[in-house]
Amino acid sequence: MVIDSEISAVNIFICFFIVVYFFIQFYNNFDMFSKKKFIVWLCIRIAVVLCLICALLNVKWVSTPNATTTVFLVDSSLSVKEYKKEIETYINQQLLNKKARDKIAVITFGREPMVEVPISKNIKEIRLETKPNPLFTNIEKALSFTADYFPPNTNKRIILFTDGRENIGSAYEVIQKLKSQNVNLYIYPLKNKLNTDFQITAINMPHYVYRKAKISAEVVVDATSNGEGIFRLYSCGNKIIERNIKVQKGKNTFLFQVPVQNIGNIKYTGEIEFREDTNPQNNYINVSTMVINEPNILVIGNKEDTKNIENLLDSLYIHKKCYTPLEVPSDIDFLSGFQEIMLVNVNHKHISSELEKSIERCVREQGIGLLVIGGENTFALGGYEDTILEKMLPVRCKMRGNKKQPTTGLVLVIDCSGSMEDESGGVKKIEMAKEAAIKSIEILENEDYVGVLGFSDRLEWIIPFHQLKDKEKIKYDIGKLKAKGGTLILPALTEAERVLEKADVKVKHIILLSDGQGEKEGFQSIISSMKKQNITLSSVAVGQDAEKSLLKKVSQFTGGRNYEVANYYEIPDIFARETYLVTKKYLNNHVFVPRIVSDNNYFKKRDLPELKGYIGTGIKDGADMILQSDKEDPILAIWNYYLGKVIVWTSDLSGKWSSDWIKWSEFQRLWGKIINEALTDYDDRDMKIQISQNSCRVFVYLDSGEEKSELSAQVVLYGSEGMQKKINLKQIRLGEFYGQIVLDRVGGYVLTFHIFHGGNEVKRTVRTVYLDYSPEYDINQCISVDNFLLTSDTNILDKSSNLFDLPIVLLNKSSRSLKHIFIPLALFLFIADIWIRKNY
């Protein structure tokens, strides 16, 4: 038994008070009883006092458990994959000697630990089947996890199978903590075989170089033996250097002159090839260099939309590269070479998912500017709503808070003939029609009217024409659309025209979708009536069998639009575009003079040229609206999206709406300011950044160029899949900072360096680093098991001995408080004390 080490002064005082009280009672009652009864009373009193004192001092019962829990902790990284069978055999042999009361568990680990076999007494045989990430070894995390995994009231033993080649974390401190937790650690050493291996370790090049210069590239090759091989260097996919090289065992350094032609962030890939090499995984490496001359802008758009912008950039002597949306490379290394990206009247369906994500990362992580120029293929009409692109913009596609717009009456006339059950690409036409109808419903406002009329060889109002109040119910009812019967278009148009004629709405429109051939004639009367009633009709002809020529004539005569669709997936987007157009507030074709609403450096208080149109949007909270239309909609807006600036111009620059602006004498000067505003604004010419990399460990040194004590520095690490990590750099001298970063995934990383003064950012710059292959393949990075054992001061397992007979040196002592015994006992004895005093 032991006494609690944490005893308060109050408890000591109470104990003292009890003892004093005992002596006073003893003195007062000395002559009350006979000698025999007095002795009984005295013993009871002493027992009560002792019980109370023991309870107050929290006396505990300390015991040592008889059972032991053994956890087999198995390294499953790449460097020890050849030992899997050996480890399984060893564990299964040892299980034959396990004592019945003992428990075992199996945990495997690579980058992270995974439980292979939960703690149990009844394990006869194990097979290592879990697959932790094998590209990294984190012994520290595995040991910490295992130490917390042990159940209470048991002795603890870990059998660690490893080669000691830890490349993430540091196990040494954890091993010391294991001792304080009474965890017995034994190591089953796995020694690697030394194979012939040639590794390209680094390519050292300056970060900033000038175009048409020649730079020196220092190439480091490590080898486990002498050999002859080939070194190649690629730039932008083209081989620019190929040389025969000879290496000796150890570190080898080669120097090459590299010509520089392109501008921007240029990615170089170096590779080596040796015939005797047994490990090709570490034979290539990437490095990036920023080639500068003048600002470099990427223009994405079709030629007819970008021609005026190209002329503008040429007049400003700004270097540019122009691509159509379908041709532009989407990888982030390419995009990182530009200080600004311009999207010019680009429909979202022409922007690949990879390109959109890469643009977002460049703006968010690297501070590259984004300038979006409008046109009829942008914003709501271009499918930007609820996309990553819309999230980046200072405007939203759905207009809110605008002055009251004309109420719209929309009838969706949808072909429900049997052919609408046909499939293409795994989707039925009727299902795409349902999705299209739902999209239209979502776009309309609650004040608008809508009806969904299905037709085949008979008519059915799926949604009777009425004011849009309950969107969810309407969308549910749209699911009742079913395909059956033939195709009769004329009765459907007559019915739709009938309900719209009576509707009290300003805008009356029909969207007709059909995939078959109906009547050939008899339409003149109905379309003439539509025209008199100002009812417009747009048609969507689906597939080769649709009555395309007839639908086109009906659409043109009523002032609507005609679409011919081969890909069924396009139907919902067409319905959405049509619904946006028919509401008369997204596509604004009228003449107005933009109004300056925000103080800025772009425009002075002067008369601006007229615009003839724009795409309606809504300004977001936190964005700065610089110009607005006569309807108070954004024309020019800007905001910061993480590190980058995003600017939106909701009119065009092709000349359709902006011809007066393009002819304006101030056009070049003012748009030069707008373009410069979005350019990457970091400048690190007075900063010094040194980055040294040892496999997955990156060491950074930053000299801010200023000796101020109030400075602080931070580097933000951006990896693939949106991974982000912030590392505060340690100040080693005034204005100088140092830090270490661990890369725990293979791939490219962007490092954004921030310098703060008094909490405000004063400087920023960006670098790119790569972890091209797992450190498990690095012949320099990993320490040997012998060094690990020497440093960690642990027990080496004798493979021939029965590990379940090994002595448990560090016993897991458990203690239990005896308050629950002493307090009731004291109470019982106290009652006995009272009984004796009353009866004697």
Side-chain angles (χ1 to χ4, degrees), residues 208-234:
Y208 281 121
V209 297
Y210 286 94
R211 189 185 182 194
K212 296 184 178 179
K214 277 196 173 183
I215 58 175
S216 295
E218 181 187 65
V219 179
V220 179
V221 178
D222 286 287
T224 59
S225 63
N226 299 342
E228 296 184 8
I230 300 173
F231 167 75
R232 303 182 184 93
L233 185 67
Y234 298 86

Side-chain angles (χ1 to χ4, degrees), residues 140-204:
E140 175 190 7
K141 194 169 187 178
L143 287 174
S144 296
F145 176 85
T146 305
D148 295 335
Y149 188 67
F150 280 105
N153 302 322
T154 181
N155 292 319
K156 306 172 184 178
R157 177 168 50 204
I158 296 176
I159 309 300
L160 174 61
F161 298 83
T162 186
D163 60 354
R165 296 175 60 170
E166 184 178 38
N167 38 61
I168 297 182
S170 178
Y172 307 125
E173 294 183 6
V174 175
I175 289 174
Q176 299 306 314
K177 291 181 181 178
L178 292 179
K179 294 181 180 179
S180 66
Q181 295 174 314
N182 295 319
V183 178
N184 297 266
L185 176 63
Y186 289 86
I187 292 184
Y188 185 108
L190 306 173
K191 295 191 177 183
N192 295 102
K193 300 174 183 178
L194 186 61
N195 297 318
T196 303
D197 193 0
F198 300 90
Q199 168 182 296
I200 181 167
T201 303
I203 299 179
N204 299 316

Side-chain angles (χ1 to χ4, degrees), residues 610-622:
E610 293 179 335
L611 285 173
K612 298 181 177 64
Y614 67 98
I615 300 296
T617 58
I619 195 73
K620 288 182 181 177
D621 294 337

Side-chain angles (χ1 to χ4, degrees), residues 67-71 102-105 119 150-151 154-158:
T68 300
T69 299
T70 301
V71 177
D102 288 345
K103 299 179 181 179
I104 70 108
I119 295 174
F150 280 105
T154 181
N155 292 319
K156 306 172 184 178
R157 177 168 50 204
I158 296 176

Side-chain angles (χ1 to χ4, degrees), residues 684-701:
D684 62 356
R685 287 175 295 182
D686 58 345
M687 295 169 57
K688 294 180 181 178
I689 305 287
Q690 293 181 5
I691 299 177
S692 60
Q693 186 172 352
N694 183 6
S695 190
C696 59
R697 300 181 186 273
V698 178
F699 305 91
V700 298
Y701 165 81

Side-chain angles (χ1 to χ4, degrees), residues 503-564:
D504 184 20
V505 292
K506 297 293 184 182
V507 179
K508 302 177 180 182
H509 189 70
I510 298 171
I511 301 178
L512 169 63
L513 181 145
S514 178
D515 75 332
Q517 297 184 5
E519 307 91 324
K520 301 294 184 181
E521 53 186 35
F523 288 87
Q524 188 60 44
S525 173
I526 185 64
I527 60 177
S528 296
S529 178
M530 285 183 185
K531 195 162 187 181
K532 289 179 184 179
Q533 298 295 329
N534 291 321
I535 300 174
T536 55
L537 181 146
S538 293
S539 62
V540 182
V542 183
Q544 297 298 321
D545 295 334
E547 191 64 76
K548 297 177 183 177
S549 59
L550 174 63
L551 295 178
K552 185 175 182 180
K553 288 178 183 179
V554 173
S555 301
Q556 290 177 342
F557 192 82
T558 61
R561 289 155 293 278
N562 172 253
Y563 303 90
E564 296 180 4

